[in-house]
Amino acid sequence: MFELLQQSLFSGLLVGSVYALVALGIALTFGAMKIINLAHGELVLLAAYMAYVIESRTGWNPYAAIPLAFAVTALVSIAIYLLIERIREHRELNSLILTFAIGVILTNAILLVFASDVRSTNSPLLQDAVSLGSVYAMNSELLAFVVSLLVMAGLWWWLRNSWYGRAVRAVSSNRDASMLMGIDPRRVELAAFIVAGILASVAGVALYTMSVVQPALGPALTVKAFVVTVLAGVGSIPGVFCAALLLGVTEAMTVTLASSALQELVGMVLFLLVLFFMPNGLFGARARRG
Amino acid sequence: MMRNLPAAALLVAALAIPLVFGGNGYIMGLMVSGLIVAGVALAWALLGNLGGMVSFGHAAFFGVGAYTSAILSAKAGLPVPLSLLAGALGAALCSLVMLPALRLSGPYFALAILAYAHIFKILATELSSITGGSAGFQRFPTLPTIAGIDFSSRTGSYALLVVMVALCALVYRAVKRSHVGTALRAMAESEDATRVVGVNATLLKSWMLLLSAFITGLFGAMNAHIINFLEPDYAFSGNWSVLPIIAAIFGGYRTILGPVAGAVLIYLFDQIIAKELLPVGHQILLGLLLAGMILVAPNGLFGLFQTRRKGAPHAAA
Amino acid sequence: MLRLEDVTVRFGGLVALKEVSFAMGEGEILGLVGPNGAGKTTLFNTISGLVRPRTGRILFKDREIGKLPLHARARLGLGRTFQIPQPMHHLTVRENLTVAQVFGAGASDPARIDEILEVMELAEHADRDAATELALQELKRLEVAKALATNPALLLLDEVLAGLESHAKRRFIAKLRELHQRYALAIVIVEHDIETISSLCSRAVVLNFGELIADGTPEEVFRNPAVVESYTGTADA
Amino acid sequence: MLEVRGLRAGYGRINVLWDVSLQFPTGELTAIVGPNGAGKTTLFRALMGLVPHQGEILLDGRPIRGRTWDLLEAGVVMVPEGRMVFKDMSVAENLALGAYPQRCRQARARNLERVYALFPRLKERHRQLAGSLSGGEAQMVAMGRGMMSEPRILLIDEPSLGLAPVIVKEVFGIIRRLKAEGVTIGLIEQNTHIALSVADRMHLMRSGKVLLSQDAGSVDLDRLHDLYLARESGQVQA
Amino acid sequence: EEIAIGAHMPLTGSLARSGQAFNEGMQVAIKVFNESQSKHKIKVTVIDDESQPAKAVTAVEKLNSDGAAAIIGGYGSNIVGPASDTSNRLGKVYITGGAVSDELVARGNTHFFRINNNAGYQRGVEGLMQELKPNGISIVASTREAPALLAKGLEESLTKLGFKVTLHPFDPAITDFKPIINKVKLQDKSEIIFMSAYENDYVGIIRAAKVLKPQVKAIVGAWSLATPKMYSDFPDLMQNVIGTTFLPFPVEVKDEEGKKFAAVYKEMFGKEIEYASTLAFVETMVLSEALARAADAGTLKSGGLLAEMKKTDRPSPLGRITFNAVGDNPNFALSMGQHRDGKIPLVSPAASATGKIAYPALPW
Ligand SMILES: Nc1ncnc2c1ncn2[C@@H]1O[C@H](COP(=O)(O)OP(=O)(O)OP(=O)(O)O)[C@@H](O)[C@H]1O
Ligand SMILES: Nc1ncnc2c1ncn2[C@@H]1O[C@H](COP(=O)(O)OP(=O)(O)OP(=O)(O)O)[C@@H](O)[C@H]1O
Ligand SMILES: [Mg+2]
Ligand SMILES: [Mg+2]
């Protein structure tokens, strides 16, 4: 029994780290700009397919695809922002619909270009098993864990130490007042979207190396990421990481102790419980105002 | 008189369609599906517009309505008209479980409802002794023949749905025009301000959730008896959450007729025009249409027609 | 009419109100003054139900209202304004008043609303969108109008006169007097302008760091050394 | 020197300013008074590029094309009413944002100390969300935030609004000090007496027009009074 | 004489992969049939049902109103169910190769035909198990409709055959299978992992098994596993894995029809035939022939097709095809094929085997 739990705890942590990677981009645009980018899952997916393109064409390690993936996701991300920027009324609701529409467009574009086949890495190096004591993992999973830790730290540092982080939040808090501070709202928001693009590109490549991708995956990724974001509490980047790990572990434990058919159920119940009893999320310090 | 023009036009169109296409099962089938979406879109818009709550999970009510009605009519032998009502009530009852979510605002509420939809879907899969599990549930009665009208025929279903959509629209209108409607409109963005003048915000919002769930459940139940097959993936499909949102926004979710017209138009556009142009991936056109609409006419099709009411929100600067 | 007994409010480590007790009678106009952050708005929030006190009782019309929800207190006849105006969004000025009247006073009376619009000099703005098309002073008048529409017995006014130029201020004060007479209103008013308090109120209480430090006629209160030190400062700066 | 010529501005369907022309001479304090709804705030907002407008705005004789953030870099800063703080950010973050323009980022720590010294209450509450501050405290944040950016030209909208008398005195002390340091100041103030005590020149606005412009030393209070009450109209130069 | 028929296929949505393969097989059949004789020309209109029942129902209605003589059904029992109901109501013959639920033939629809069924898959797997005689079988099954049905059926029948069976149903949203495989490894300790799922799940499950290396002797799966495509996409994962199929690879089709099919398929789509396309090919051929017979007899307009369908009795790449009273094909049974260095020999049942099973059969 102990061995069983040990392995599932470990697996849960690794899966959680990918949830975190996917969630960070959403957490950034939502936490900072109150804009939920419903096309974020598709951005991640797009990056994953770039990894597939690079791997299948050149045989290189999928991680070599990060520059290409970044170029593509950043472009799409910028396009998304330029469209959102044109919305004047009811920005929060309308941007939701707009990004949803963009997600539909991307999903179908991916379907048209890459067909509905399932894709995943073939690199033996990444797929090889490693054991840490009595627990096992794929190389790619450990790598993704480390990458997600680094990315999280990087993002956290950026939001903390660059003027952008504060500025983005100021813009979403009060646009006019932020302009009076000398902030160019478009510039900082665009920067946030580009960073979200970077995050998506890394997440996509990591996803490709340790899981299976297919065109219809986008919305599921977005929802999971958003659940993690809310679980964490808006505005807390380390919180996203912890919440993602918690979700991963909870799911793995459900599989081990009960049935794998209940995994999603337990995840959702956990989410609701947190939402009702800790409306600010597990790590969100800020008051949520109506 | 001018104000009722769109409504009159819609009514004429609704009457004309069976006269022109009555023999064409395909068109009538599309209309029926479109009207189902229209009903849910209306319910969604009611909650969104009056309750100020954006829901991502109306599939929950839709599915519960469908299963409740199907199971009661098949296993308990309830006559279908009653089971439809029971389905609607079942959905409303389910929304009681969601009342705690009313404390949440904006995206938090939307996501909480989505979580509920997931949970109900998984329950429907797991409680296979009642629901038939993922294998699905079939062989339950179709819509009955009453007073010589066979409601299970395409034209019969169509007539039923037109009447139901119209009834729900009237209820919606009555609520919206009442003082309750005015108070609800304000509550979305200024809850404290409304409460200190004596509005019991929680209660009013609860009523809206209940009403919206009721309507959605009703249409879910009708759809079940029209399609005559249920399985969790279908009854609780994300489509029942997403399509109505698209339709409502497209038509103008702050209007009453917008969601209805939006649903039918979007559905027909997607199925007739988009599918013709792009057999695979035709939803890309839907996406483009929706994105364009939000950018060009954020208040939807009907919002475009409506002369801007004095004092309506407008963009400053 | 209104009685507070040992009301204490905390925000985390901060004691915003410390065992505050006072009572006021029917038809009284009470001035509530004190330095910034003394707890005046918090006191209003506590009475109207936005903030739950840690300890203490609040009695209104001889009824304990400490556990009642916001809307119930409003229906009992507690009207209040917000220091930072909070109009009801998406509604016109007139609709704001209608909602307040229907839900707060329990009856619909368009004539009365017209009257309030007239009195509060909002008639010309009646059909503007309250949240996006009014300037600050208009919003403040709307605050008072909304509270009046609920047909209150007690009106809590939080700095409704701040920022008015002197003539407008005088006009407003006269109006308040008239309302007070006509509807037999009891009023608690927060104001930083000593003159206003002196001319309008028969009695004033002073809060400082959440504590009630003085209670009496405005003259008495403003002569109180503690008040002078913490609030008015020396006569000339 | 900041100058406007023939400024027209408004909100959507409503026009508020009608051909307003006035100057904020370098190193002087220019007070603007006038009844409520006269368009004083709108004038400042238009100057800062927050409200669409027609007419010319000149900074040191050169026309500026109203990009708010360029103005900030050039040292033109506005202190809005306390409602315009960043409600869901802490006091410290609000103040830090005041130092956003490139030119004053270096001196952020020093300026923060200065602001905390002037408003000790803000130092106590530096972690509190600005949205939960009392009205007066929020006003202090707005004022402090403006001072974080080392303004060359400072436009202040009703700094005394909602402040206790002691604090009002302090704030005007600060304004005097800033003026002494050579900052050009535009001030909107309801209290004519206080305004006159610090101003070099005074303009009276009414219904979106400047009706009276006078040197502070030679203000005719009766005239002012009359104009407030609208017994007279028309442009008056003194 | 041109005969118009219609088809609804899930070209988009969750079942798009299978729908595409079905569509290809069907197109090849039409071509082969039209070229094989010159009297009749079959024309097919395909509508995307988006993997949704309501869309499939309207598709059937549209095809009917456009004058289709019969309808070829799509994939997935939940979609075929309501669609074939509608077709039945409209009096149109409906044939499918993608809906295996037993419920479908219990409805008493007179115009419903299908060439495959759950029982056929079960029989294939049961045969293999009886040959291997493992001490225990762990079934890892998606809770989606078809996989869940197969898993349920197998759990019952294998238990009846005396095997120790453990069922692990999983939510389709799952991506990490290590916790499940870990249970197999530490709790079940069975010798066989049987997967009833779809392609993406197979990849995930086998990867997890490769990492945790449970003491199993074989990894076996259901549909869409023993296909050349899976091997070419994931060679490291598929080696030695066993799945249901009926054709070895490279295709060693003995019958003329199969050879023809493979050749035309390669010509049209540039790849080898696979499992789903073969199903579609066969159903389309069966239908086409019945249509031709009815047209020859001049009864096509007067409902003669139904009678001709019932008379069907022909060999096919899938084996013999006949229809019983409820429209089911009682002869349907599958073989098991094993991935071996890019080839897929049939390893069970012994009668149709083209190679010997490598056992233990593991990709590591
Ligand atoms: N939600 C809250 N969390 C933390 N502190 C709060 C909260 N609300 C109020 N405070 C603090 O409590 C104190 C009292 O605030 P209150 O608004 O009652 O002051 P006030 O007397 O109305 O002052 P002013 O004259 O400036 O409006 C202030 O210091 C304020 O910062
Ligand atoms: N956002 C807005 N939309 C529409 N009209 C507005 C808006 N803001 C202000 N106004 C109108 O513009 C006019 C001038 O407003 P402004 O705020 O400039 O006045 P002010 O002179 O600053 O007065 P106060 O002393 O009240 O601050 C007012 O009549 C007001 O109705
Ligand atoms: Mg206050
Ligand atoms: Mg102003």
Side-chain angles (χ1 to χ4, degrees):
Chain A
M1 193 62 197
F2 176 67
E3 217 177 328
L4 200 64
L5 289 179
Q6 209 179 13
Q7 175 68 37
S8 91
L9 185 74
F10 186 58
S11 300
L13 285 177
L14 293 178
V15 171
S17 72
V18 176
Y19 290 170
L21 263 183
V22 181
L24 283 176
I26 287 211
L28 176 65
T29 45
F30 179 53
M33 299 165 61
K34 301 197 183 103
I35 284 177
I36 302 169
N37 182 2
L38 287 181
H40 188 74
E42 276 81 6
L43 278 185
V44 172
L45 201 56
L46 207 57
Y49 272 95
M50 291 306 117
Y52 161 70
V53 167
I54 291 285
E55 190 188 45
S56 62
R57 290 281 156 81
T58 65
W60 296 344
N61 188 304
Y63 272 91
I66 287 187
L68 174 70
F70 169 59
V72 173
T73 51
L75 275 180
V76 178
S77 214
I78 291 173
I80 294 178
Y81 175 70
L82 292 181
L83 291 176
I84 288 182
E85 211 265 318
R86 303 184 47 148
I87 295 177
R88 286 273 165 270
E89 292 170 51
H90 306 293
R91 200 152 172 252
E92 284 173 34
L93 176 65
N94 285 348
S95 67
L96 210 62
I97 309 299
L98 179 66
T99 54
F100 171 77
I102 294 170
V104 172
I105 295 171
L106 287 178
T107 294
N108 285 281
I110 292 175
L111 178 71
L112 288 173
V113 175
F114 294 101
S116 42
D117 299 314
V118 299
R119 301 286 176 206
S120 187
T121 187
N122 261 319
S123 153
L125 183 70
L126 289 172
Q127 289 188 83
D128 269 353
V130 283
S131 66
L132 300 172
S134 58
V135 293
Y136 299 84
M138 278 200 299
N139 274 330
S140 60
E141 291 175 310
L142 287 182
L143 187 58
F145 187 87
V146 173
V147 165
S148 103
L149 209 76
L150 289 177
V151 166
M152 184 213 62
L155 181 66
W156 190 65
W157 185 88
W158 183 72
L159 285 179
R160 259 256 134 169
N161 291 309
S162 82
W163 282 87
Y164 278 99
R166 217 180 272 126
V168 192
R169 281 197 290 130
V171 170
S172 82
S173 175
N174 188 330
R175 206 176 177 85
D176 275 359
S178 76
M179 283 164 71
L180 285 180
M181 300 299 105
I183 298 169
D184 176 352
R186 295 186 51 186
R187 210 171 107 187
V188 293
E189 289 184 338
L190 186 62
F193 263 81
I194 291 176
V195 172
I198 299 182
L199 297 172
S201 66
V202 179
V205 172
L207 190 73
Y208 175 73
T209 61
M210 57 182 282
S211 183
V212 188
V213 299
Q214 61 190 63
L217 200 60
L221 288 175
T222 308
V223 169
K224 183 85 52 171
F226 195 33
V227 163
V228 167
T229 306
V230 172
L231 214 50
V234 174
S236 163
I237 295 299
V240 167
F241 193 72
C242 299
L245 296 193
L246 175 70
L247 188 64
V249 169
T250 309
E251 290 181 353
M253 285 298 169
T254 311
V255 172
T256 305
L257 299 176
S259 155
S260 30
L262 300 179
Q263 174 191 303
E264 294 291 294
L265 184 76
V266 173
M268 287 297 165
V269 170
L270 169 77
F271 171 67
L272 284 180
L273 287 180
V274 169
L275 215 49
F276 291 154
F277 293 107
M278 305 173 71
N280 295 328
L282 293 170
F283 305 94
R286 282 160 205 296
R288 186 173 304 148
R289 331 194 121 249
Chain B
M1 217 46 242
M2 282 304 284
R3 295 232 335 261
N4 290 328
L5 211 60
L10 276 188
L11 210 63
V12 169
L15 289 176
I17 282 167
L19 296 179
V20 181
F21 297 105
N24 187 331
Y26 169 59
I27 298 283
M28 292 311 286
L30 287 184
M31 286 304 300
V32 165
S33 300
L35 283 171
I36 295 281
V37 179
V40 184
L42 198 65
W44 182 87
L46 184 149
L47 189 66
N49 187 18
L50 295 184
M53 291 169 277
V54 175
S55 152
F56 287 168
H58 262 50
F61 308 130
F62 191 87
V64 169
Y67 267 103
T68 310
S69 180
I71 290 169
L72 286 179
S73 63
K75 301 198 173 163
L78 210 62
V80 172
L82 288 184
S83 78
L84 290 179
L85 201 64
L89 284 174
L93 216 61
C94 270
S95 73
L96 290 180
V97 195
M98 302 185 186
L99 288 183
L102 286 180
R103 288 193 301 146
L104 306 169
S105 65
Y108 300 91
F109 174 81
L111 215 59
I113 292 275
L114 180 67
Y116 277 115
H118 262 277
I119 290 174
F120 279 113
K121 176 175 171 173
I122 297 169
L123 286 180
T125 312
E126 293 302 307
L127 298 175
S128 50
S129 57
I130 308 171
T131 62
S134 57
F137 184 53
Q138 40 195 318
R139 286 188 284 169
F140 50 87
T142 55
L143 292 177
T145 301
I146 297 172
I149 308 172
D150 176 9
F151 286 111
S152 71
S153 75
R154 279 288 168 255
T155 317
S157 314
Y158 174 82
L160 176 68
L161 284 169
V162 167
V163 172
M164 284 307 187
V165 169
L167 276 182
C168 293
L170 286 177
V171 171
Y172 181 0
R173 195 176 80 143
V175 177
K176 186 178 171 184
R177 291 203 172 171
S178 70
H179 292 307
V180 170
T182 318
L184 279 163
R185 184 146 41 99
M187 233 152 55
E189 275 182 60
S190 27
E191 191 155 336
D192 282 348
T194 18
R195 289 162 52 147
V196 295
V197 296
V199 178
N200 187 345
T202 325
L203 188 72
L204 293 190
K205 274 162 91 170
S206 311
W207 277 116
M208 289 309 108
L209 185 63
L210 240 67
L211 183 58
S212 182
F214 183 89
I215 296 177
T216 311
L218 180 66
F219 280 86
M222 290 194 288
N223 186 58
H225 291 276
I226 290 169
I227 292 284
N228 251 285
F229 186 98
L230 279 183
E231 53 128 10
D233 267 351
Y234 172 64
F236 293 96
S237 159
N239 274 318
W240 301 119
S241 301
V242 167
L243 263 181
I245 302 182
I246 298 181
I249 303 271
F250 181 81
Y253 86 105
R254 292 209 177 274
T255 64
I256 293 176
L257 295 174
V260 176
V264 175
L265 286 179
I266 282 275
Y267 202 84
L268 294 185
F269 168 83
D270 183 44
Q271 293 301 304
I272 299 180
I273 300 173
K275 246 181 183 169
E276 199 65 40
L277 295 175
L278 253 190
V280 179
H282 58 89
Q283 285 181 331
I284 210 170
L285 296 176
L286 203 62
L288 287 170
L289 187 73
L290 188 64
M293 196 71 193
I294 276 289
L295 292 172
V296 177
N299 289 321
L301 219 49
F302 269 66
L304 268 183
F305 296 145
Q306 248 182 5
T307 46
R308 200 173 259 171
R309 195 172 52 88
K310 259 203 186 168
H314 76 143
Chain C
M1 165 120 276
L2 177 72
R3 196 161 85 239
L4 271 72
E5 295 174 1
D6 292 331
V7 171
T8 300
V9 170
R10 288 167 171 275
F11 298 110
L14 178 80
V15 186
L17 290 179
K18 197 166 165 194
E19 293 168 13
V20 172
S21 307
F22 72 84
M24 66 181 285
E26 211 94 7
E28 197 173 347
I29 303 185
L30 179 70
L32 178 58
V33 292
N36 296 118
K40 305 179 293 293
T41 302
T42 305
L43 186 66
F44 277 12
N45 285 345
T46 315
I47 297 171
S48 63
L50 277 162
V51 168
R52 297 261 139 158
R54 281 292 169 94
T55 60
R57 305 203 308 153
I58 306 165
L59 291 104
F60 178 59
K61 292 186 184 163
D62 300 323
R63 222 181 119 175
E64 161 95 58
I65 58 165
K67 300 238 154 29
L68 291 182
L70 285 176
H71 59 90
R73 299 187 198 197
R75 287 177 195 173
L76 275 182
L78 257 174
R80 73 160 288 176
T81 68
F82 286 100
Q83 181 173 7
I84 295 176
Q86 299 202 10
M88 292 186 245
H89 281 69
H90 306 304
L91 302 190
T92 62
V93 169
R94 185 187 299 279
E95 283 170 331
N96 262 274
L97 300 193
T98 312
V99 167
Q101 189 180 55
V102 169
F103 289 89
S108 173
D109 179 0
R112 171 94 207 276
I113 286 183
D114 282 329
E115 188 188 319
I116 295 174
L117 282 170
E118 205 56 52
V119 172
M120 290 283 100
E121 297 176 28
L122 285 168
E124 56 176 317
H125 305 302
D127 293 321
R128 283 201 190 174
D129 185 89
T132 57
E133 297 188 321
L134 294 185
L136 182 58
Q137 289 307 326
E138 290 150 5
L139 284 170
K140 288 194 163 180
R141 293 205 295 274
L142 175 60
E143 280 297 311
V144 182
K146 269 191 309 179
L148 283 176
T150 61
N151 230 348
L154 173 63
L155 199 54
L156 307 176
L157 301 176
D158 199 351
E159 301 201 16
V160 289
L161 297 168
L164 282 180
E165 47 96 0
S166 50
H167 308 87
K169 199 175 261 181
R170 251 171 263 147
R171 238 178 18 242
F172 209 121
I173 291 174
K175 230 167 246 164
L176 284 180
R177 281 222 187 82
E178 189 197 325
L179 288 170
H180 170 244
Q181 290 287 319
R182 181 137 46 118
Y183 300 113
L185 280 175
I187 298 177
V188 183
I189 182 165
V190 172
E191 208 43 70
H192 285 302
D193 183 28
I194 299 169
E195 250 173 76
T196 306
I197 295 290
S198 306
S199 73
L200 191 61
C201 311
S202 47
R203 180 181 151 209
V205 292
V206 184
L207 277 177
N208 190 23
F209 288 111
E211 274 181 282
L212 206 95
I213 58 167
D215 186 342
T217 65
E219 294 74 46
E220 286 166 16
V221 159
F222 290 125
R223 256 187 274 119
N224 183 325
V227 177
V228 170
E229 196 211 341
S230 66
Y231 185 59
T232 45
T234 45
D236 209 355
Chain D
M1 175 159 101
L2 189 63
E3 182 179 2
V4 290
R5 288 189 195 149
L7 195 71
R8 274 168 183 259
Y11 305 89
R13 297 169 281 149
I14 305 159
N15 199 47
V16 175
L17 296 181
W18 306 89
D19 293 316
V20 171
S21 301
L22 47 77
Q23 298 176 342
F24 299 90
T26 306
E28 293 190 8
L29 195 151
T30 310
I32 297 174
V33 297
N36 302 115
K40 306 181 293 295
T41 301
T42 307
L43 171 66
F44 276 12
R45 290 169 57 87
L47 267 170
M48 297 304 293
L50 291 181
V51 179
H53 53 83
Q54 294 156 10
E56 262 187 312
I57 302 175
L58 301 135
L59 180 60
D60 299 328
R62 268 194 308 271
I64 44 173
R65 233 157 250 99
R67 289 297 183 101
T68 312
W69 42 95
D70 297 333
L71 281 172
L72 265 291
E73 286 298 344
V76 184
V77 176
M78 171 174 169
V79 174
E81 338 150 5
R83 288 196 295 167
M84 283 185 63
V85 296
F86 300 108
K87 292 201 174 69
D88 38 18
M89 300 175 85
S90 69
V91 169
E93 281 176 311
N94 265 276
L95 293 177
L97 276 162
Y100 188 83
Q102 287 289 350
R103 60 183 167 74
C104 50
R105 288 188 188 177
Q106 292 295 330
R108 190 175 120 207
R110 181 162 45 88
N111 285 329
L112 192 62
E113 279 314 307
R114 201 164 64 126
V115 170
Y116 280 156
L118 292 172
F119 302 111
R121 171 63 58 85
L122 298 186
K123 186 165 190 176
E124 277 168 39
R125 299 299 165 77
H126 70 280
R127 298 185 59 176
Q128 190 174 328
L129 292 188
S132 68
L133 290 174
S134 84
E137 289 162 347
Q139 194 73 32
M140 295 178 208
V141 170
M143 187 73 199
R145 210 172 50 175
M147 292 172 56
M148 289 292 293
S149 56
E150 304 189 334
R152 195 159 65 84
I153 301 179
L154 185 61
L155 305 175
I156 316 175
D157 191 356
E158 300 201 37
S160 63
L161 192 75
L163 290 182
V166 230
I167 311 284
V168 172
K169 283 170 198 158
E170 270 171 40
V171 165
F172 275 86
I174 296 168
I175 291 175
R176 257 190 217 104
R177 194 141 13 116
L178 286 172
K179 187 178 140 192
E181 286 167 15
V183 179
T184 308
I185 297 176
L187 173 72
I188 297 177
E189 180 54 58
Q190 285 302 354
N191 187 328
T192 329
H193 292 283
I194 295 197
L196 282 177
S197 73
V198 290
D200 297 301
R201 225 177 133 67
M202 204 191 67
H203 303 272
L204 179 111
M205 280 183 75
R206 193 189 163 85
S207 310
K209 299 193 185 91
V210 177
L211 292 192
L212 182 71
S213 302
Q214 291 179 320
D215 282 331
S218 60
V219 163
D220 177 350
L221 279 174
D222 291 338
R223 204 51 206 296
L224 206 65
H225 189 204
D226 290 349
L227 282 173
Y228 256 108
L229 295 177
R231 286 202 208 116
E232 203 174 13
S233 65
Q235 186 86 19
V236 185
Q237 290 290 338
Chain E
E1 191 188 347
E2 187 173 285
I3 305 170
I5 61 171
H8 67 90
M9 300 279 168
L11 299 179
T12 53
S14 53
L15 302 170
R17 258 250 356 100
S18 313
Q20 301 280 11
F22 261 71
N23 190 23
E24 289 166 2
M26 181 179 71
Q27 299 294 352
V28 173
I30 302 277
K31 185 160 187 224
V32 168
F33 180 82
N34 285 345
E35 282 170 4
S36 70
Q37 40 77 49
S38 52
K39 267 173 73 188
H40 310 286
K41 236 184 154 43
I42 307 263
K43 222 182 124 249
V44 64
T45 311
V46 189
I47 296 185
D48 177 13
D49 63 33
E50 301 170 43
S51 318
Q52 291 171 27
K55 304 255 162 94
V57 168
T58 37
V60 169
E61 274 161 345
K62 178 169 169 56
L63 294 168
N64 176 58
S65 69
D66 290 351
I71 289 171
I72 297 180
Y75 195 82
S77 306
N78 58 332
I79 297 166
V80 165
S84 59
D85 258 345
T86 307
S87 182
N88 200 54
R89 193 153 9 101
L90 297 166
K92 283 274 134 83
V93 166
Y94 184 103
I95 185 167
T96 178
V100 294
S101 163
D102 293 338
E103 284 265 309
L104 294 173
V105 285
R107 297 174 303 180
N109 281 359
T110 49
H111 287 63
F112 179 76
F113 299 91
R114 71 174 180 194
I115 57 173
N116 61 343
N117 43 45
N118 226 347
Y121 292 94
Q122 270 184 41
R123 236 171 279 150
V125 179
E126 284 160 24
L128 179 73
M129 295 306 160
Q130 279 168 314
E131 284 168 32
L132 298 180
K133 303 208 180 355
N135 70 359
I137 303 165
S138 294
I139 301 181
V140 181
S142 164
T143 54
R144 296 263 283 272
E145 183 230 359
L149 272 177
L150 178 60
K152 258 239 161 89
L154 273 175
E155 187 190 17
E156 278 168 25
S157 65
L158 289 174
T159 310
K160 223 175 267 162
L161 289 171
F163 293 106
K164 184 180 136 242
V165 183
T166 324
L167 182 61
H168 298 278
F170 66 85
D171 192 291
I174 259 190
T175 52
D176 182 23
F177 290 90
K178 283 202 287 310
I180 300 182
I181 298 301
N182 205 34
K183 275 170 101 174
V184 172
K185 176 181 173 182
L186 298 173
Q187 286 185 339
D188 303 1
K189 301 199 170 71
S190 37
E191 286 183 335
I192 304 258
I193 293 177
F194 180 78
M195 310 178 289
S196 181
Y198 293 108
E199 284 107 322
N200 49 333
D201 306 322
Y202 294 148
V203 173
I205 297 170
I206 298 175
R207 255 199 198 144
K210 240 185 124 174
V211 169
L212 291 172
K213 301 207 174 52
Q215 298 299 311
V216 293
K217 294 228 172 88
I219 295 187
V220 185
W223 40 68
S224 320
L225 178 60
T227 66
K229 183 151 184 30
M230 278 304 260
Y231 191 87
S232 70
D233 284 350
F234 305 102
D236 298 342
L237 295 178
M238 290 305 145
Q239 180 69 342
N240 289 331
V241 169
I242 303 172
T244 57
T245 184
F246 35 81
L247 291 170
F249 179 84
V251 185
E252 290 172 31
V253 216
K254 295 184 195 94
D255 60 313
E256 276 311 303
E257 188 178 26
K259 278 187 191 145
K260 178 96 195 167
F261 172 44
V264 177
Y265 190 86
K266 181 133 203 178
E267 175 192 317
M268 281 175 78
F269 300 108
K271 51 188 177 185
E272 301 293 336
I273 55 174
E274 58 174 293
Y275 163 77
S277 52
T278 315
L279 283 169
F281 175 78
V282 172
E283 62 177 354
T284 313
M285 287 307 278
V286 166
L287 178 66
S288 301
E289 284 170 8
L291 283 165
R293 290 199 300 274
D296 286 342
T299 56
L300 191 54
K301 295 258 146 41
S302 54
L305 178 60
L306 192 59
E308 292 301 336
M309 282 299 286
K310 291 200 161 143
K311 277 189 221 151
T312 299
D313 185 355
R314 75 194 292 280
S316 82
L318 290 174
R320 185 173 165 217
I321 309 278
T322 60
F323 296 113
N324 62 15
V326 290
D328 219 352
N329 172 18
N331 314 298
F332 183 70
L334 277 167
S335 312
M336 305 301 292
Q338 185 173 33
H339 281 292
R340 288 247 277 286
D341 305 316
K343 300 200 175 91
I344 308 175
L346 299 186
V347 293
S348 163
S352 55
T354 62
K356 260 193 75 67
I357 187 166
Y359 191 72
L362 297 169
W364 58 84

